[in-house]
Amino acid sequence: MRIGVDVGGTSTDAVLMAGGEVLAGVKAPTSPDVTGGVVEALALLRGVHRFDPGAVQAVVIGTTHFMNAFVEGRDLTRTAVIRLGLPATSGLPPLLDWPERLRARIDGGTYLCHGGHDFDGRPIGDLDEEEIAGVADDIARRGTEAAAISSVFSFADASMERRVAGILTSRLPYLKVSLSSEIGRIGLLERENATTINASLSGLAGRIADALGAALASAGLRAPLYVTQNNGTLMDVEPARRYPVATFASGPTNSLRGAAFLSGLTDCVVMDVGGTTTDVGVLAGGFPQEAPAEVTVAGIPTNFRMPRLLCHEIGGGTIVTPPRRPDGEPAVGPGNVGDALTRRSVVYGGPDLTLTDLGVAAGRLRLGDPARLAEMPFAAATLDTVAARLLGSVHRLRVTPAMPPVVLVGGGAALLGDPGTDDVRVVRPPHHTIANAIGAATAEPGGEVERIFPLAAGGRDEVLERARSEATTRAVAAGAVPASVRVVSVEEAPIVYLPGSATWVRVRTLGALARDGERA
Amino acid sequence: MSGGPVTAADVDDFVLGAKLLSGGGASHGTMPARWLRHAMATRGDVRLVPPGSLPESAQCLAIGFIGSPTIQSEKLPMVGQFAEAVRVAERRLGHEVGALAALNAAGVNALAPLLAATELGLPVADADGMGRIFPNVERSVFTLAGLDVGPCTLAGAQGDVMIIEPAGNMRAEALIRPATVALGGWCVAVLYPMSAGLLARHGIHGSVSRVLDVGRTLRRAAASDEPRGHRLAAGLGGRLLASGIVAEVHRPSRRGFPSGAVIVTDLDDPDRSVRLETQNEYMLALADGVPLAAVPDLICTVDHDTGEPVDIERLHYGHVVDVITLPAAPAWHTAAGLALAGPETFGYALPRDQGDR
């Protein structure tokens, strides 16, 4: 058995699964400390489906908490940003384009130092150990607790980043160090930003991992804890402590994967109707289609890969203004009660009429107290109009000339009724309200490596082999049984305007978790 | 516009226009735009002047980047990289430089003269040598005019500078590419030293301000909710070839030969499909085997829904795009122009009259 948990902004969903079967699913309110909501969801789960905690083999948690904490500038660790690249790279200094508010929160100084490599592995210059010792002195003087180290082309040669980490931690053993070579991907500014965000979350990640471990223990669960990554695979909580950004944005991916699992479809459009927004994404060949452009977080460019999503500012908490005249039409939005749905909606005794209230009035949802609602003959028609509008956006995401089927998931999916037409098949599978948690529960450990490599004699085969082996090592570090790891995709593209010189490659691996007794 | 300053407030539009004019070629992230914004914020605006307004004998240089934008996004530029290149070129030429022109005002290269101007405090002459992107430096209207590409001054991101004096313009590419690899995969290039008089006579006029105009047109079109395909094409002085769904993307082979193809199925007529041949950029558009547009004319793809230019690398199966063609500068449609940069020079044997469209 496995337990999947999704910690969303509003609710914490949990699901108990055995093999491919959903045994039980529950929703609890998310607590500010994350753990409280998880504990409550686990207790609810045991309430609706009695199970032996000892028989649970894995608990997989997906959370947007780190993303939210960073964007809000909460609980960030002060971070020194160290770049190895001089004399190159001085034209664009570290933390360029960061909002002043976040820059001030992480402020541990920026250090441009000598070092780095060219795309073909030649060093740009030697590492200057005295220079690094000076950085260490400065970090000690300022009392900075974390460091983000980024070296030019470090994903091809990580030796300089590692040496700097060694020098710093030998002098400052408490320092939490993040290396850009572990974050990966070409594009120094974006990788440096991601590494800096990661370092600034290192304190919080440790505290949350400890608290979650304690919460599971208190619930009698001895199963290993895993966290879902942005790419839909999972990783052991131990590496996740050091690399929280890898788990930063897994929510949408989990929802897409959960929808695929529930519907059995590998090529479809997924519409996740939440409390504040409706996110529409695409699955092609079972994988979420990725956003073509870089992802910005709080205005900061990063190199995270995220699913391509269309976000509509409409959800169960969207406020509805009733018509003035009985034959008029109500206004939907633009306001939203946000995470206060269970306090502000009319069916919960609150003052705001929301789409959720209309759903109850139309008989599509059963929650709260329907007796509080006034007569609303327009409810079903209004919801159908919203559904038609959302469905109309689907054509923008289609990946085949034919219209793909649409899978409705999320807590608000039932609001839309059955909006299928002759042109568009719409399915709303069982357990659709907890698709995110199901996406987490069904995740497998994986690894991913991206490289640029020179096409010198023997270069390609050697680098491909190295990329395969590193992606395999990463899957094992994430928790996979070594023998189970397989390469699921190898992508290659020549680097334009440098004919015959270099190629980009990305290798992805997937494995299986150890069953009881197999774990080394 | 012409003769005015380019300011930090223009950067977004300028980058948008440069992206469209790359003809599907330059896939780069937001680094160049961030670089230009940072350079303008720290060193001020750039003066754009008509080439005819410069003193006839003023020394001008064509400036661009050579190499991989992807590598440039990793081995970031050095402060003063342009100034270094121009100083070395000045020493070799024995003249002070009076103004900077664009090698090609399209793609990331459109940003190069503006960045150089922030470092050097020189005006940018509103002219370039291609009016689009070509993958080789000799394919320029300057070559058509008999001007020498050399001495070529190349500056890498860590302070190395090389001067290359090719025996002729057709020798330049073979010498510059390996030098670019040695310099780390990309470099600042200062080419085609010439007087302002020659630049005014032979350069493609208004091509730097055109980048800004194209960007503004795109932004306005993107902000409107009306269907934009035809109107956008007309607003840009071009033609809409198709609005359709990307049905196939054939990437270049892994061994480095750059040719590929994209097939777009017409939204209104699923039996009609347009095939776009690519070699770094779009080279040729065919419908049912009949050429619709061909290099040296520009072929671009724009997201049908958002109006954003989409480059070939980012194009994917299922993308709904408008395919637009923009006419090349008249010099490219002469017999000499077609002999230097027509479809045949890229390996496409087309009927003779194709270039006259």
Side-chain angles (χ1 to χ4, degrees):
Chain A
M1 285 192 296
R2 273 201 203 181
I3 291 174
V5 181
D6 178 75
V7 184
T10 315
S11 76
T12 296
D13 304 346
V15 63
L16 178 69
M17 295 187 70
E21 196 192 341
V22 177
L23 299 179
V26 295
K27 277 177 175 291
T30 292
S31 62
D33 69 343
V34 179
T35 338
V38 173
V39 169
E40 191 182 337
L42 291 175
L44 281 173
L45 200 56
R46 286 181 82 169
V48 297
H49 189 104
R50 195 171 287 278
F51 63 90
D52 170 15
V56 174
Q57 287 156 331
V59 178
V60 189
I61 294 187
T63 174
T64 52
H65 188 69
F66 297 121
M67 167 85 89
N68 300 343
F70 180 76
V71 170
E72 289 162 23
R74 273 190 285 120
D75 302 322
L76 302 185
T77 307
R78 288 213 303 138
T79 300
V81 186
I82 302 165
R83 182 196 290 176
L84 312 175
L86 285 182
T89 81
S90 55
L92 290 100
L95 305 187
L96 187 68
D97 295 337
W98 277 52
E100 197 42 53
R101 164 182 76 86
L102 288 174
R103 200 187 247 268
R105 284 291 164 83
I106 69 127
D107 176 38
T110 61
Y111 304 90
L112 266 174
C113 303
H114 289 80
H117 289 84
D118 268 316
F119 75 97
D120 51 9
R122 291 171 295 164
I124 290 174
D126 290 332
L127 198 64
D128 181 343
E129 300 209 352
E130 271 180 44
E131 192 178 23
I132 303 303
V135 173
D137 290 341
D138 210 47
I139 289 174
R141 191 176 53 74
R142 297 172 68 128
T144 308
E145 299 160 279
I149 306 170
S150 307
S151 177
V152 176
F153 278 105
S154 63
F155 45 89
D157 188 334
S159 59
M160 287 195 192
E161 286 185 0
R162 295 208 185 106
R163 265 171 64 204
V164 170
I167 294 169
L168 294 181
T169 50
S170 71
R171 309 241 332 239
L172 314 162
Y174 58 85
L175 195 69
K176 292 188 165 72
V177 173
S178 297
L179 303 186
S180 88
S181 48
E182 300 282 337
I183 306 275
R185 292 199 185 115
I186 195 160
L188 182 65
L189 270 186
E190 293 83 358
R191 190 172 73 252
E192 181 178 74
N193 286 340
T195 309
T196 305
I197 293 172
N198 190 70
S200 76
L201 289 169
S202 51
L204 181 65
R207 289 195 295 278
I208 297 241
D210 287 344
L212 285 174
L216 295 195
S218 75
L221 289 160
R222 284 167 297 132
L225 175 62
Y226 300 94
V227 187
T228 56
Q229 307 192 64
N230 305 338
N231 64 8
T233 64
L234 55 75
M235 76 200 286
D236 194 277
V237 71
E238 285 312 310
R241 273 171 197 271
R242 288 190 298 118
Y243 289 99
V245 282
T247 71
F248 210 64
S250 59
T253 313
N254 286 346
S255 140
L256 285 163
R257 290 187 56 265
F261 179 86
L262 291 173
S263 65
L265 295 167
T266 53
D267 296 87
C268 57
V269 169
V270 178
M271 197 177 278
D272 186 341
V273 188
T276 51
T277 62
T278 295
D279 298 338
V280 190
V282 177
L283 276 167
F287 285 102
Q289 202 180 76
E290 288 175 343
E294 66 188 17
V295 174
T296 60
V297 176
I300 301 165
T302 70
N303 59 3
F304 306 125
R305 289 254 158 104
M306 294 267 285
R308 186 160 79 108
L309 291 180
L310 276 181
C311 296
H312 300 277
E313 297 289 323
I314 199 156
T318 297
I319 293 173
V320 179
T321 314
R324 293 231 182 94
R325 292 199 316 269
D327 59 340
E329 284 185 13
V332 177
N336 195 296
V337 297
D339 55 8
L341 185 71
T342 55
R343 293 195 305 280
R344 298 204 59 94
S345 273
V346 174
V347 288
Y348 290 109
D352 295 317
L353 186 67
T354 64
L355 283 180
T356 297
D357 295 318
L358 265 57
V360 174
R364 294 179 183 180
L365 287 176
R366 255 174 298 165
L367 40 79
D369 179 5
R372 293 177 187 274
L373 293 170
E375 189 79 355
M376 281 187 288
F378 55 83
T382 303
L383 292 171
D384 288 346
T385 308
V386 168
R389 181 145 47 101
L390 290 172
L391 220 56
S393 71
V394 164
H395 80 95
R396 283 171 60 175
L397 288 165
R398 73 188 143 181
V399 292
T400 56
M403 190 63 87
V406 176
V407 182
L408 290 182
V409 297
L415 287 173
L416 305 187
D418 181 13
T421 64
D422 289 346
D423 297 329
V424 191
R425 184 161 74 93
V426 178
V427 285
R428 184 151 45 84
H431 308 296
H432 62 263
T433 60
I434 50 166
N436 287 19
I438 290 166
T442 56
E444 296 293 348
E448 190 176 320
V449 163
E450 263 191 54
R451 289 281 184 277
I452 298 275
F453 61 85
L455 279 173
R460 174 172 176 266
D461 294 343
E462 191 190 309
V463 175
L464 265 184
E465 193 41 53
R466 247 174 46 210
R468 277 202 189 91
S469 122
E470 266 173 62
T472 302
T473 307
R474 286 189 182 198
V476 171
V481 176
S484 73
V485 179
R486 62 191 198 282
V487 174
V488 288
S489 77
V490 178
E491 298 162 78
E492 269 186 84
I495 297 294
V496 292
Y497 302 116
L498 209 61
S501 300
T503 292
W504 167 92
V505 63
R506 170 156 72 143
V507 177
R508 292 199 277 193
T509 55
L510 210 51
L513 289 181
R515 305 217 164 236
D516 272 349
E518 283 178 350
R519 210 172 151 79
Chain B
M1 63 152 285
S2 198
V6 181
T7 71
D10 296 319
V11 171
D12 287 342
D13 285 343
F14 193 84
V15 169
L16 196 61
K19 193 172 178 196
L20 183 91
L21 292 168
S22 74
S27 195
H28 50 79
T30 58
M31 188 284 281
R34 291 175 193 283
W35 184 14
L36 182 56
R37 219 175 282 122
H38 177 63
M40 284 186 159
T42 46
R43 301 199 204 91
D45 300 344
V46 170
R47 227 159 10 107
L48 190 60
V49 300
S53 72
L54 294 163
E56 173 89 13
S57 63
Q59 177 71 55
C60 293
L61 299 166
I63 294 208
F65 298 115
I66 292 180
S68 161
T70 310
I71 291 176
Q72 187 184 44
S73 76
E74 176 68 25
K75 189 179 182 182
L76 298 176
M78 176 183 86
V79 168
Q81 196 170 340
F82 287 98
E84 187 73 21
V86 170
R87 262 196 298 274
V88 172
E90 282 176 333
R91 267 208 306 274
R92 165 66 187 75
L93 295 166
H95 299 288
E96 285 205 351
V97 170
L100 308 164
L103 171 63
N104 52 338
V108 64
N109 268 10
L111 278 59
L114 304 185
L115 284 160
T118 64
E119 287 188 359
L120 291 150
L122 291 170
V124 171
D126 192 358
D128 85 330
M130 298 184 187
R132 53 163 293 152
I133 290 185
F134 281 122
N136 325 71
V137 295
E138 79 280 3
R139 292 191 213 247
S140 76
V141 294
F142 305 137
T143 299
L144 293 179
L147 302 175
D148 280 339
V149 67
C152 308
T153 312
L154 311 179
Q158 61 187 92
D160 305 313
V161 183
M162 296 170 84
I163 296 182
I164 294 178
E165 306 206 25
N169 288 11
M170 305 313 279
R171 287 285 302 149
E173 194 63 29
L175 303 172
I176 285 176
R177 292 290 150 177
T180 302
V181 171
L183 288 168
W186 76 275
C187 61
V188 162
V190 168
L191 312 165
Y192 294 107
M194 70 182 86
S195 68
L198 287 171
L199 178 64
R201 232 172 347 273
H202 301 298
I204 300 170
H205 283 237
S207 44
V208 179
S209 46
R210 174 195 187 207
V211 177
L212 196 48
D213 290 339
V214 167
R216 287 175 179 157
T217 304
L218 280 171
R219 176 168 50 85
R220 277 195 294 267
S224 105
D225 278 340
E226 293 166 51
R228 58 179 69 83
H230 280 288
R231 278 196 311 142
L232 182 59
L236 296 170
R239 280 185 298 137
L240 179 72
L241 299 181
S243 294
I245 301 176
V246 174
E248 290 175 46
V249 180
H250 300 278
R251 303 280 176 205
S253 72
R254 56 177 56 159
R255 285 296 176 180
F257 189 70
S259 82
V262 176
I263 294 171
V264 178
T265 305
D266 201 304
L267 275 183
D268 299 322
D269 176 6
D271 291 332
R272 177 180 186 256
S273 61
V274 172
R275 181 184 173 92
L276 305 173
E277 293 287 337
T278 68
Q279 284 185 36
N280 297 317
E281 304 94 36
Y282 295 115
M283 290 286 155
L284 178 62
L286 299 157
D288 304 317
V290 177
L292 299 176
V295 66
D297 288 339
L298 200 60
I299 301 166
C300 325
T301 41
V302 177
D303 187 295
H304 182 70
D305 294 302
T306 66
E308 283 231 21
V310 190
D311 52 58
I312 300 163
E313 277 191 32
R314 296 256 159 102
L315 210 56
H316 60 81
Y317 183 61
H319 220 126
V320 183
V321 293
D322 294 327
V323 184
I324 290 171
T325 182
L326 305 180
W332 287 125
H333 284 295
T334 61
L338 290 171
L340 184 60
E344 286 180 9
T345 66
F346 289 96
Y348 307 106
L350 293 184
R352 272 284 162 199
D353 63 350
Q354 184 49 38
D356 301 332
R357 293 179 61 106

